[in-house]
Amino acid sequence: MPTIRIASETDFQGWRQAARALRKRGVTPEETLWTVDGSSGTVVETLATSIEGAPAFTVPRDFLELANAVILHRSDERFSLLYRLLWRLGLEPALLRSPADQDVRKARHFAEAVALAVRQMTNFAHFRPMSGPPRRAQQTYVAWFEPAHRVTEAVAPFYSRGFADANFAIFTPDTCVHWDMKTLAALPGVDPADAPRADDLEDYWRAYCAQHLGAPPSEGCWRNLPQARLIPQTTAFGEELASAMVGRGSSIPSDRAVRAARRVTRDAPYDGQAPTSLEQVAVGVQMCRRCDLFRDATQGVAGLGPARAKLMLVGEQPGDQEDLAGRPFVGPAGQMLDRALAEAGVTRDLAFVTNAVKHFKHELRGKRRIHKTPSVGEVTACRWWLESERRLVRPRVIVAMGATAALSVFGKPLAIGKLRQQVLQLSDQSQGVVTYHPSYLLRLPDADEKAKVYAHFVEDLKFAWSLAA
């Protein structure tokens, strides 16, 4: 099996070179193994035949634009996904115009998540001026940011235009970028465990420069460093991604919402400044760093529904499909919920649907992402967002679906089977109801037991709707 070794996590040209060689040799996607080893250049092993004389082929421009975005996603399957699409385009030229195709959908979800990460970094990176000369041209601005995907170098040209007459440095876990008013350079990233606090940012900046430049910041010459990679400034790729983003199936968040979300810091106290609109919640969830679940998720998934819904449905967390789509309950559990709501006489569009935890917690098994139950600490950390949604929507009835949702809504563990069909009073004048989570029904192996629990689930939804009406 050919092993394709890519020089870096974002080496699009290396992937493209290898993919073209593989495609000309007729190597199928199932026969390839992609990996990143940090070597200089791309190495394609165990390819016996030459590509000279092989027929040329072309791909749509849309594919190249899509691949440029997907390559920045953190998913380990992005290289193989793109090569699979490249291979299939030879057989299905109109493949990218098939929105229902699983590979196309996944690639577009990856691209949307990357575009969202670009938008976050261009709006939420907070620069601090370092001590030094007061003149802007002699000043350096430094920021620490943890992007959801590897977009630092795509965003860097945006900031070089904003800091055209000053120096800046951005530290991220993936790459550190420096601008000296002439050249953009990239250096190794920072271990998140060593991430500097805001008050320590200047000391960290000086120590980093001493380590990688061998000189104080004011004396370092980034342009001549052999380990520094130059970043082209001619690309507007980051801005194009941000402007093309279709986050959560709607338009880009307004500047007002972004500014408000920026004011809600990542470690704001529970009684601190809270979002004043559901749009601010949606933006804030994307920048949330209250726990570590954001690191492996594609994006945060905020609630969806009317701003003044009488009924709020709370699940556990986004699943695999919700994580990719950016909307709650769109996967198998969502289909089960829609079916039960219809039988209960409830129109889903009249309910506000959300989750106790806003990022997908999972573990990898091969290429599959397997659900993992959030810990009590993760539920507690994310409760601030659920409370914000409750305060803004002000539902009459809240349905906690499953044990994790019950813990988040009521603040303590509850026995679902014993308390269903009971009214539980909440402190904000709304009433609570507990029931099973739709995914629990999907996991029941016995058909008779599944039918029984499903009937109970429909009864509970009817009961909650009667209270809300």
Side-chain angles (χ1 to χ4, degrees):
M1 174 179 290
T3 300
I4 303 90
R5 303 186 185 280
I6 304 299
S8 71
E9 297 284 0
T10 59
D11 182 15
F12 175 72
Q13 292 304 324
W15 173 87
R16 185 179 183 183
Q17 175 189 353
R20 288 178 63 86
L22 292 166
R23 178 71 176 78
K24 284 188 175 183
R25 289 179 172 91
V27 180
T28 66
E30 293 75 17
E31 297 175 306
T32 60
L33 178 64
W34 299 82
T35 185
V36 175
D37 68 355
S39 61
S40 58
T42 303
V43 180
V44 182
E45 297 179 348
T46 68
L47 297 179
T49 59
S50 170
I51 65 171
E52 292 187 11
F57 66 94
T58 59
V59 295
R61 181 178 177 180
D62 289 351
F63 173 74
L64 292 179
E65 294 175 353
L66 180 66
N68 263 292
V70 172
I71 214 78
L72 304 182
H73 198 278
R74 291 196 185 276
S75 173
D76 292 334
E77 64 174 315
R78 65 194 184 284
F79 296 121
S80 56
L81 171 64
L82 288 176
Y83 184 62
R84 192 160 60 246
L85 284 173
L86 178 66
W87 179 269
R88 293 181 59 195
L89 279 169
L91 306 174
E92 308 167 66
L95 176 63
L96 295 184
R97 295 197 294 271
S98 302
D101 183 85
Q102 186 174 356
D103 286 340
V104 174
R105 287 180 58 192
K106 181 171 289 188
R108 295 204 183 281
H109 286 321
F110 281 6
E112 289 173 8
V114 167
L116 183 59
V118 168
R119 178 74 178 188
Q120 292 169 349
M121 192 164 183
T122 55
N123 281 286
F124 301 142
H126 179 64
F127 288 84
R128 292 170 59 92
M130 299 295 97
S131 60
R135 293 178 56 194
R136 178 176 168 90
Q138 299 174 339
Q139 183 60 276
T140 296
Y141 296 81
V142 181
W144 164 258
F145 195 77
E146 298 180 49
H149 299 285
R150 299 181 179 93
V151 299
T152 304
E153 293 184 46
V155 173
F158 168 84
Y159 281 114
S160 69
R161 288 187 285 276
F163 286 94
D165 58 347
N167 301 304
F168 76 80
I170 306 177
F171 296 108
T172 79
D174 306 307
T175 306
C176 295
V177 172
H178 182 269
W179 165 250
D180 63 0
M181 296 187 289
K182 293 182 180 179
T183 305
L184 270 173
L187 283 172
V190 175
D191 188 331
D194 299 328
R197 296 177 303 177
D199 295 340
D200 300 331
L201 198 53
E202 181 164 358
D203 291 340
Y204 188 88
W205 169 64
R206 295 185 181 279
Y208 185 91
C209 288
Q211 176 185 354
H212 292 280
L213 300 177
S218 60
E219 300 175 14
C221 183
W222 295 70
R223 294 188 299 278
N224 297 328
L225 283 177
Q227 67 268 40
R229 232 171 344 98
L230 299 186
I231 303 174
Q233 296 189 64
T234 55
T235 176
F237 178 55
E239 295 177 53
E240 291 171 359
L241 276 178
S243 64
M245 185 189 73
V246 190
R248 304 180 68 248
S250 60
S251 60
I252 295 173
S254 66
D255 289 340
R256 181 177 179 181
V258 169
R259 288 195 300 271
R262 186 185 295 133
R263 290 195 295 269
V264 181
T265 59
R266 70 180 190 177
D267 54 354
Y270 284 97
D271 57 353
Q273 187 177 14
T276 58
S277 72
L278 291 174
E279 186 181 30
Q280 290 178 21
V281 172
V283 176
V285 163
Q286 299 303 332
M287 65 177 293
C288 182
R289 300 296 184 267
R290 292 174 177 270
C291 71
D292 288 335
L293 293 186
F294 76 94
R295 298 185 186 279
D296 297 324
T298 302
Q299 58 192 308
V301 182
L304 203 60
R308 286 292 182 266
K310 297 179 181 178
L311 184 68
M312 176 179 281
L313 303 173
V314 182
E316 180 189 77
Q317 66 166 343
D320 180 77
Q321 294 189 32
E322 289 79 8
D323 173 75
L324 295 174
R327 298 187 301 276
F329 284 93
V330 297
Q335 296 170 16
M336 177 71 74
L337 175 62
D338 289 345
R339 174 186 161 197
L341 286 171
E343 291 190 25
V346 183
T347 302
R348 173 165 169 167
D349 291 343
L350 299 179
F352 188 89
V353 183
T354 188
N355 283 293
V357 173
K358 308 304 185 188
H359 286 96
F360 178 34
K361 183 176 183 179
H362 61 276
E363 63 181 1
L364 284 175
R365 293 183 187 171
K367 294 184 179 181
R368 297 182 60 198
R369 300 192 298 174
I370 305 300
H371 160 277
K372 289 185 69 175
T373 301
S375 67
V376 173
E378 290 158 349
V379 173
T380 301
C382 210
R383 194 179 184 195
W384 193 75
W385 295 112
L386 180 62
E387 291 296 322
S388 295
E389 291 174 331
R390 285 174 55 179
R391 176 177 51 79
L392 294 167
V393 177
R394 293 187 292 176
R396 294 182 184 177
V397 177
I398 300 176
V399 180
M401 300 184 292
T404 300
L407 173 63
S408 182
V409 171
F410 299 99
K412 59 183 179 181
L414 296 178
I416 304 299
K418 293 181 180 179
L419 294 176
R420 52 175 296 272
Q421 294 283 303
Q422 295 186 33
V423 177
L424 306 174
Q425 195 64 41
L426 293 164
S427 58
D428 57 0
Q429 305 303 314
S430 57
Q431 296 175 316
V433 174
V434 296
T435 188
Y436 306 103
H437 194 283
S439 62
Y440 170 67
L441 280 65
L442 295 173
R443 295 193 301 268
L444 289 174
D446 184 77
D448 292 338
E449 181 67 15
K450 179 180 290 189
K452 177 183 176 181
V453 175
Y454 177 77
H456 289 166
F457 182 52
V458 173
E459 290 173 3
D460 295 342
L461 294 175
K462 284 182 181 178
F463 176 66
W465 185 242
S466 67
L467 293 173

